[in-house]
Amino acid sequence: MLIGVPKEIKNHEYRVGLTPASVRELTAHGHQVLVQTDAGTAIDLTDAQYVAAGAEMVATAAEIFARAEMIVKVKEPQPVECAMLRPGQILYTYLHLAPDPEQTKALVKSGAICIAYETITGPGGGLPLLAPMSEVAGRMAVQAGATYLEKAHGGRGLLLGGVPGVQPGHVAIIGAGVVGTNALQMAVGLGARVTVLDKNVDRLRQLDLVFGNRISTIYSTASAIEEAVLDADLVVGGVLVPGAAAPKLVTRAHVARMKKGAVLVDVAIDQGGCFETSHATTHAEPVYMVDGVVHYCVANMPGAVARTSTFALNNATIGHALALAEKGWKQALKDNPHLLHGLNVCQGQVTYEAVAHDLGYEFVDPAGLLG
């Protein structure tokens, strides 16, 4: 198969779809890989490294989209990229379609086979291609929150861990999945007072066994969320409904009553956000204020630590990329029901039920398209 890797063009996005090591895996199996010039230069992955791994360097994204049978990216295609997709071409990347009707419309129009990292499942449950970026984003959420609690950045002027004789800050984490667990690890490490909320009591029990009295575990209800948010200095939103828009768990009324200079970090923003006052921001302008509360809602948080993120992501994505290249998309999806769950749009049809439901499309069972 001829596989193409364009340079990412989203604001401050420096990750790259394939590392030189991943290219070598594909070329060693007889596949050809096109990589856009300077695709990985920003994170010290040079064109020479790609050539040594067997890639052909190509000057423009247009040529890659025109030639490649499969496009491997990191972030969802931007409008100019959607316009270059063609019927039958495989797109393998993060999509996050539920809160993005324009992208969904463009992908349906393209006729491409669009496989989303974030809905591919794993044999033991979970979302293994989303997990590495959730780990990064969860850890970054506390870093970012600590920074924006500084007075110069609009925050309360508070050191999360406090100092001897001074009370530490309070971090409320909504969601005890991968994001929430990594956020609480960072918050506990800094010495903050941590409350984590979730509806899965078994998960809360597991966290209690690990962290003991260093954290408070609370069953998530509307009342519990309200109480935690109003007391918190930093709130991390790590809620996920696979493939669907995130529920709005923190309301505008909650935000109006929060401490002035408190910080909200909405890691669920790729799926529309779990705070009612959230809207997506970029690394160029990461924050805004609502009712005196700092909102950090960057839609590609792991892009800030792009080298770490690229290697972590490739560890998770290369296996399926190789399967798609070796077998073609139909056979690869027939053979692996977990990969089949990643098929969101196929040949003009919406094939992921949560996306179809949220955006008003007819859901088409993907199994019926495999022949």
Side-chain angles (χ1 to χ4, degrees):
M1 184 176 283
L2 183 56
I3 300 150
V5 184
K7 185 176 181 178
E8 297 292 325
I9 58 173
K10 190 164 184 170
N11 180 278
H12 283 264
E13 182 54 74
Y14 305 109
R15 290 174 288 180
V16 61
L18 295 176
T19 62
S22 293
V23 169
R24 185 175 177 182
E25 287 295 307
L26 290 161
T27 57
H29 283 80
H31 306 291
Q32 295 176 268
V33 183
L34 310 175
V35 178
Q36 188 175 352
T37 303
D38 291 329
T41 302
I43 54 172
D44 201 28
L45 298 177
T46 66
D47 291 353
Q49 289 175 297
Y50 280 107
V51 170
E56 176 188 342
M57 304 311 294
V58 173
T60 67
E63 183 178 350
I64 285 175
F65 277 85
R67 292 174 59 189
E69 297 167 84
M70 176 165 68
I71 300 293
V72 179
K73 281 176 43 61
V74 177
K75 287 306 290 178
E76 72 279 357
Q78 303 303 291
V80 65
E81 294 173 313
C82 290
M84 291 189 284
L85 289 167
R86 65 177 186 270
Q89 191 173 43
I90 302 167
L91 173 66
Y92 181 52
T93 187
Y94 286 118
L95 293 175
H96 299 289
L97 293 179
D100 194 345
E102 291 305 315
Q103 184 200 170
T104 305
K105 180 180 178 182
L107 295 182
V108 168
K109 182 181 178 181
S110 75
I113 294 97
C114 305
I115 299 171
Y117 294 161
E118 73 274 9
T119 61
I120 294 172
T121 54
L127 302 167
L129 277 66
L130 185 62
M133 296 303 93
S134 296
E135 290 168 344
V136 170
R139 296 180 183 213
M140 284 188 66
V142 176
Q143 281 187 192
T147 297
Y148 285 98
L149 277 169
E150 296 174 12
K151 196 66 179 174
H153 293 135
R156 303 192 69 216
L158 184 144
L159 183 65
L160 264 185
V163 292
V166 180
Q167 184 172 314
H170 179 201
V171 180
I173 299 168
I174 305 174
V178 178
V179 168
T181 301
N182 280 269
L184 78 86
Q185 286 178 320
M186 293 290 283
V188 167
L190 285 173
R193 181 164 62 95
V194 181
T195 300
V196 58
L197 302 102
D198 200 284
K199 287 187 175 294
N200 185 335
V201 177
D202 287 336
R203 181 62 186 149
L204 295 178
R205 188 173 290 117
Q206 291 168 353
L207 294 175
D208 182 74
L209 288 171
V210 174
F211 293 96
N213 60 9
R214 289 181 292 170
I215 66 171
S216 296
T217 58
I218 306 291
Y219 183 78
S220 183
T221 64
S223 294
I225 289 171
E226 180 179 26
E227 183 176 343
V229 165
L230 297 185
D231 187 62
D233 302 294
L234 167 61
V235 181
V236 176
V239 178
L240 175 69
V241 179
K248 306 297 184 188
L249 299 180
V250 175
T251 68
R252 183 174 293 275
H254 292 153
V255 173
R257 295 166 57 204
M258 286 178 68
K259 298 172 182 176
K260 302 308 175 190
V263 178
L264 293 173
V265 179
D266 197 341
V267 186
I269 194 64
D270 275 329
Q271 295 294 138
C274 60
F275 308 143
E276 193 174 13
T277 47
S278 291
H279 64 75
T281 61
T282 67
H283 288 293
E285 296 183 34
V287 297
Y288 60 93
M289 304 286 286
V290 176
D291 293 329
V293 175
V294 183
H295 288 57
Y296 181 98
C297 303
V298 176
N300 59 329
M301 286 178 66
V305 288
R307 186 174 172 89
T308 296
S309 298
T310 292
F311 282 94
L313 181 60
N314 270 245
N315 290 342
T317 58
I318 184 59
H320 291 309
L322 192 56
L324 289 163
E326 292 277 275
K327 301 176 179 180
W329 69 272
K330 284 188 177 182
Q331 193 60 48
L333 269 57
K334 281 182 184 179
D335 291 350
N336 190 337
H338 297 293
L339 182 56
L340 181 60
H341 287 148
L343 190 66
N344 277 219
V345 175
C346 183
Q347 298 174 325
Q349 307 286 340
V350 175
T351 53
Y352 197 82
E353 192 166 7
V355 172
H357 176 269
D358 285 355
L359 297 181
Y361 285 88
E362 179 186 356
F363 167 65
V364 175
D365 187 341
L369 299 175
L370 300 183

